[in-house]
Every structure is written in structure tokens, then in C-alpha cells.
Amino acid sequence: MNRSTCPDDTPILAARNLVKRYPRGREGFRSRPAAGIEAVSGVSFELARGETLGLVGESGCGKTTLARMLLKLLPADEGRILYRGVDLVPLSETEMRPLRRKIQIVFQDPYGSLNPRLTIGQTLRDGLHLAGVTGRGALRQRIAAVLERVGLPASAADRYPHEFSGGQRQRIGIARALSVEPEILVCDEPVSALDVSIQAQILNLLADLRESLGLSCLFISHDLNVVGYFCRRIAVMVHGRIVEEAPAEALFDAPLHPYTRQLLAAAADPLREVADAASLVGTQAAPSASPDACIAYSACPEAASACRAWAGDLTDAGGGHYVRCLRS
Amino acid sequence: MASANPGVLLAVEGLTVRFRREQESFHAVEGLDLTVRRGETVCLVGESGCGKTVTALSVMGLLPRPAAEIANGRIRFDGIDLAAGAADYPPGIRGRRLAMVFQEPLTSLNPVLSIGDQIAEGLSFHQGLCARRARERACELLAEVGLSRPEQRLSDYPHRLSGGERQRVMIAIALACGPELLIADEPTTALDVTVQAQILRLLRALKEKRDLSMLYITHDLGVVSRIAERVAVMYAGEGVETGPAEEILRRPLHPYSAALLDALPGRGKRGRRLAAVPGAVPHPAARPPGCAFHPRCPYAEPACRRERPALIPLPRARAVRCPVTAATLGGKDAGR
């Protein structure tokens, strides 16, 4: 595939202090509207070319909001999204269109993300059309090629989503993303809806494609076993912020943030002797009421009183390991 | 035999469940044997569509009728036959001695009843408690399952609770009448890992305290390692392997159990291909002849295509439905 070369070591995708706020409804009739929730609250990361960055966090931590913002499916309230150094946030829909094919997404739910009334061919055709592929023959050829790439027969193009199993649908979702030859693939929980044996097939497929197409990936999951398998570098997200980012080995073997340690303790690895996890606080509690408190305060098993008044930034712990914690 | 063995609380023998749909019919569960002894936690493991939930519903007498019926086999709970049919499901068992926790706490709870009322319902129905006494008991149960400020939560509606709290309420409802056997159908699947760990710890603690027996249904081998004493692996409606949990996780004998474990991702496997199982789980209506797993099995021999293998008992309380691996590996301690 012909790729324009990126001469310097500018990250292919970078986020700088991205913020997304959702308004909260009124608590009761005629009361004042409550302050909004920051679903994503100042997230920065860099994705080098050909790299895979894993993003782990529990439900509600802002993973999916972040993914949607990166694709401009949701407008960012603050911050910048840099694609090869170009800020995407101020771009209009028209200006964005040629760049859309560079960044594609694979969604979590293989059932909800395909239009049930379109054949697979029609679904794939739309993206290709916008990417400038025209002519029946050329379209048919491209569709057959991309279906083959994800391990489906060309005849799949004439069938409807309900005729496929979950794993096959996820292949179709991947085909849709790849059809326009993107450089960056954002995978939002691509395997969490699948059975173990199918999950392995899809992870192998994604690994093959990443290799052969030189894709850069942002891989979002709640499952530490999946992220640990697929990603060399991992960021941990809590309540809209990244609290730790490190090479996978360092994160698993020497986690610095108490929340990461808790997550690792809770994730059951069947092949390992399991010690009973230390007291788990959970993250169900809403983001802490005090805006000055550490973001992980309500979820942190080791929070001290000083954490209540601490809102520091990620600090460099050496060796590419970054942590946002007063105590480490 | 349940009656011959007083330790056995639940004995499922040769259970076959038939589903009918217009003209065609198929067996969602085929000849399943399963026992749960008193005080034991047994995990029923398998991928979606393998018949785990249908098995649980058969035991509970909750199969959707007339679409599904028990075509063959026996289910005995403490010597009482449960498989006779919905109309004849023996009274005083379901909800009282046998209770179930469902996968989706949000859809299993009634959205227009307070959680206090939902817990109290079973108490007044089965134990004839008056409203005030049932409410007191509901409050104690909520405290027992670890819900904070139980008195205030009694009048809350399900939508006010988080996923983990809802599942705690489901457990409180199931435990209300002091069951001997708790069937838990993927109770933590919809939950975050930290909350999942909390619920698993709660179930383990309750089991100890109340001397419960548990049939825990899951697809997650990580959960199995945390809760199971014994495991039964299902594939396409059949039980393919049973044995102590540790043995099966460390040394699976059936090629399918082995494949499930090999397919798990983990950081130790980074950079290597996962041993994915080719193909997909067959629909029970299209179960291949012979061994149901043979089209996906790396060890399949010509005989596997023709004959449905029997469950072969092995030393150390194990059994496997695969003559190939049983012959080569089962007798010895040699690892795979």
C-alpha cells in the first residue's frame, strides 16, 4: 500500500489535553441545571507510527468518548487532536473528509454497528465511494479484496448482517474500517462481545493486519489480558483521565498507581494461582465531588487525606513510565 | 445414584432438552450428566449457545414452553424428581430450596417495584411472613449481601442502583428463603472487573457461611479459577469433560477444553499467535455426526466422524468425552 512517508518522528496521532463535557440534567423540576460531567478531562497521549497503544479502564471511565472524539464523531470541548502535527479539532466537515479515511474505527458491538437493511457490499460501498473509488467493476474488486483480507468469501457482499455470526460481523466491521486504507485504526473493545475461541481468531486477524499494513492502533479494552496480549504500551484511564502509562512489562510487573494495582489484582488470570484481591473499592462511585481531589480518589484503595487536595499531572517515573499519583 | 449417595444434592442424568420450532426440532442439550454435591461449587463452562443456560432452566423448571421440553433424562434434587414437567414441578422447591441468580440484573428486576418489595415477595409467599416482618428480613438480607445503608435502600427502585448493587439485590432475593442450592447464571458477566471480584468474593463468603451448594455458569475461565471446585465443560449441548477445577485448568484433557485455554490472550503470549480454534460452535440443529467437536479438532481420527464418543471415566474424579486423548494422556500424569 502506498503510504506517504513521515520524515520526522512526529507522532502519527497525538491528543493534547482533550476535554469532553456532558451536561447533566436538572435534578428536579425548576431546579437549576447541575454542573456538567467531564467524561474526558484533559487526556494527552502520543501514538507513534506502527505502534499500538492500549487503553484500559472500567465502564464509564471515558474510553469510548475519547475514541469518538479522536474520530470527530463527537466534538471536543477543549484540546487538540494532532494527525501528523495537523490539528483536527478546528477542521470543518468538508476539510475533515479527506482525512477521515486515514483514521478509522472498529466498534464494540458487531450487532449494533452494521445497518441491518444494507447488504455487506452496500455498507462497504459507501465508504469506498467517499474515498473516490467509482465504477462498478472497481468497487466490486475492492470489496472482494477487503473481504478476503479479513477472511470472508467475496459472496458475503451480497448478504445481510443477520446472516452472519458475531465473529463474522466483527470481521465485516474490520473490513469496513480497512476498505479505505487507513493509517490509524481505533479499536473500541473489538473482541469483548465475542466468545473466547472467536476472540482469539479476531485478535490474530488484527495482529496480522497490523503487521502487514503497518497500521498504528489505539486499542481500547476493559480486559487486561487482551490489552496485555495486544499492546506494547498501555495507558490506564479512570474518571476521564490517564493515571498511568507505561510499557506493558513495566505496567504489569511494577505498576505504580494504586488503581492499576487494584485492576491487576481484580483481573483473574486462570493460568495463575490467584491470591484473594485486596480490599476493592470499585469505581462505581461518581467522580469525586471536590474538583481539587485526585481524580482516582474515590476509586483508590490507598488514598490518603492529602490526596483529597491533590490534582497533579502525569509525572515521568523513568523508562517511559508515567504516573499520576501523589504517593509514587 | 442420588439416593445411594447422600452427599449428592443435584443429580442430572442423561438430560436431553428438545426445542421445537415450526416443523424442525433439535436438542439444545444432549445427554448431559452433572452432579453437585452438598457444599460444593461446580462451574458449568462453555461458549454461548452450548446449552449452559438451558440446563439451568431445566433444573429450575423454567424452560420456555411449549417450545422446549425435557425429552429424556432425569433431574433429581435431594432425591426428588424435577424433570417431570412444568405442571408437575414439585412444590416447595423452586425459590425455597433451589434459587437462581440471573445474568442481567437490570432486566431480571422489576423496574416498578422497590427492591424491598421484591425481596419481601418471596418471603411472604414461601414463608408466610407478614409485611412488617418480611421487610425486616429484607433489610437483614441487604446487609448480608453487603449493601450499605440497607434501611434506606429498601425503598429504592432498581434504576437507582449500580450494576454491582443490582446483582447484590438479585443475590439477596435468591437467598431470601435459605436455599440449599444456588444456581448463578453468569452473574458477573455484565460487570466491571473490580466489581466482578467483589461479587465473587461475596458469593464465596455466603457459600461458607450458609453452607450453600452452587452451580455457577460462566464462559470465563478466569472466573472458574476463582470460584470453582469442580468444572463441567459443555460444547454444543454435550458435557465433554468434568473434573476438579485445578486439574482441568492445569491439564485439560478434552481437545475443546484445551483449545479454550490456549485461545486465551495474556501478556505472556504477546507477539505470538493465539491458538484460535478454527470455525465456529455449531448450532445444535446442525450438530455434526460423531463427536460434535471433530470438525474443529486437531486430534480428530476417522472414528471421531462416525461415532459419538461416550464419557470415559478417568482416575482423580475426572471424565472426558474423547477416546483419543483419554487413551494417550488420561491414564498417566504426563502433562499435555
Side-chain angles (χ1 to χ4, degrees), chain A residues 58-59 195 201 208 228-229, chain B residues 48 192 194 270 272-273 277:
Chain A
E58 296 187 277
S59 47
D195 271 322
Q201 292 174 4
D208 290 347
Y229 168 72
Chain B
S48 35
D192 274 327
T194 48
R270 182 148 23 93
R272 285 189 279 143
R273 285 183 71 78
V277 196

Side-chain angles (χ1 to χ4, degrees), chain B residues 74-146:
Chain B
R74 307 174 67 162
I75 302 173
R76 277 185 299 184
F77 175 78
D78 199 17
I80 306 162
D81 196 347
L82 301 183
D88 308 309
Y89 197 83
I93 303 274
R94 180 170 55 211
R96 199 175 209 163
R97 302 184 62 191
L98 188 58
M100 182 155 168
V101 176
F102 296 89
Q103 175 171 1
E104 292 268 348
L106 189 56
T107 50
S108 318
L109 289 170
N110 188 332
V112 298
L113 284 183
S114 72
I115 59 173
D117 287 347
Q118 296 190 54
I119 302 172
E121 188 180 13
L123 290 166
S124 21
F125 180 81
H126 289 293
Q127 301 186 337
L129 298 187
C130 68
R132 196 174 57 84
R133 184 69 197 101
R135 205 169 165 79
E136 281 168 17
R137 186 79 193 99
C139 189
E140 291 164 21
L141 283 161
L142 282 185
E144 190 182 350
V145 297

Side-chain angles (χ1 to χ4, degrees), chain A residues 58-59 195-197 199-201 204 208 225 228-229 231 248-249 252-253 265-266 268 270 273-274 276 280 284, chain B residues 47-48 162 192 194-195 197-198 201 204 221-222 226 250 263-267 269-270 272-274 277 279 296:
Chain A
E58 296 187 277
S59 47
D195 271 322
V196 184
S197 67
Q199 173 177 305
Q201 292 174 4
N204 281 340
D208 290 347
N225 289 322
Y229 168 72
C231 312
E249 279 75 19
F252 279 99
D253 294 335
E273 203 59 48
V274 189
D276 196 11
L280 295 162
Q284 293 290 328
Chain B
E47 297 183 284
S48 35
S162 68
D192 274 327
T194 48
V195 183
Q198 292 167 6
R201 177 136 31 82
R204 274 202 310 252
L221 293 162
R226 297 205 145 180
R250 281 183 200 286
L264 284 178
R267 60 168 178 137
K269 296 180 183 169
R270 182 148 23 93
R272 285 189 279 143
R273 285 183 71 78
L274 292 173
V277 196
R296 308 175 75 191

Side-chain angles (χ1 to χ4, degrees), chain B residues 60-332:
Chain B
M60 292 296 291
L62 294 174
L63 282 176
R65 283 165 201 278
E69 60 176 354
I70 294 173
N72 218 333
R74 307 174 67 162
I75 302 173
R76 277 185 299 184
F77 175 78
D78 199 17
I80 306 162
D81 196 347
L82 301 183
D88 308 309
Y89 197 83
I93 303 274
R94 180 170 55 211
R96 199 175 209 163
R97 302 184 62 191
L98 188 58
M100 182 155 168
V101 176
F102 296 89
Q103 175 171 1
E104 292 268 348
L106 189 56
T107 50
S108 318
L109 289 170
N110 188 332
V112 298
L113 284 183
S114 72
I115 59 173
D117 287 347
Q118 296 190 54
I119 302 172
E121 188 180 13
L123 290 166
S124 21
F125 180 81
H126 289 293
Q127 301 186 337
L129 298 187
C130 68
R132 196 174 57 84
R133 184 69 197 101
R135 205 169 165 79
E136 281 168 17
R137 186 79 193 99
C139 189
E140 291 164 21
L141 283 161
L142 282 185
E144 190 182 350
V145 297
L147 220 63
S148 56
R149 299 178 290 110
E151 315 79 32
Q152 293 151 53
R153 308 308 276 282
L154 280 176
S155 40
D156 272 349
Y157 288 86
H159 74 269
R160 304 260 304 178
L161 308 181
S162 68
E165 289 172 333
R166 282 184 204 129
Q167 203 53 284
R168 286 177 194 267
V169 171
M170 289 294 292
I171 294 168
I173 293 173
L175 294 181
C177 298
E180 291 152 69
L181 177 67
L182 183 69
I183 300 182
D185 187 4
E186 305 252 17
T188 63
T189 302
L191 304 175
D192 274 327
V193 279
T194 48
V195 183
Q196 169 173 304
Q198 292 167 6
I199 297 290
L200 287 177
R201 177 136 31 82
L202 171 69
L203 285 172
R204 274 202 310 252
L206 288 169
K207 179 189 164 261
E208 285 304 312
K209 189 176 136 212
R210 290 171 161 251
D211 201 20
L212 271 176
S213 313
M214 197 151 41
L215 178 61
Y216 192 104
I217 296 175
T218 182
H219 71 282
D220 185 340
L221 293 162
V223 170
V224 173
S225 72
R226 297 205 145 180
I227 200 153
E229 287 155 60
R230 268 190 330 115
V231 172
V233 183
M234 284 185 83
Y235 181 77
E238 295 178 354
V240 294
E241 178 164 10
T242 60
E246 225 183 273
E247 297 258 335
I248 289 192
L249 290 175
R250 281 183 200 286
R251 207 176 307 125
L253 287 180
H254 196 280
Y256 176 65
S257 327
L260 272 186
L261 281 160
D262 288 344
L264 284 178
R267 60 168 178 137
K269 296 180 183 169
R270 182 148 23 93
R272 285 189 279 143
R273 285 183 71 78
L274 292 173
V277 196
V281 181
H283 187 271
R287 187 183 295 122
C291 170
F293 189 60
H294 86 256
R296 308 175 75 191
C297 180
Y299 309 104
E301 293 178 353
C304 302
R305 260 163 246 153
R306 294 189 305 269
E307 294 150 34
R308 177 172 183 255
L311 204 58
I312 302 162
L314 296 169
R316 299 153 83 112
R318 300 186 66 168
V320 62
R321 199 184 287 281
C322 177
V324 180
T325 52
T328 53
L329 305 159
K332 303 193 185 80

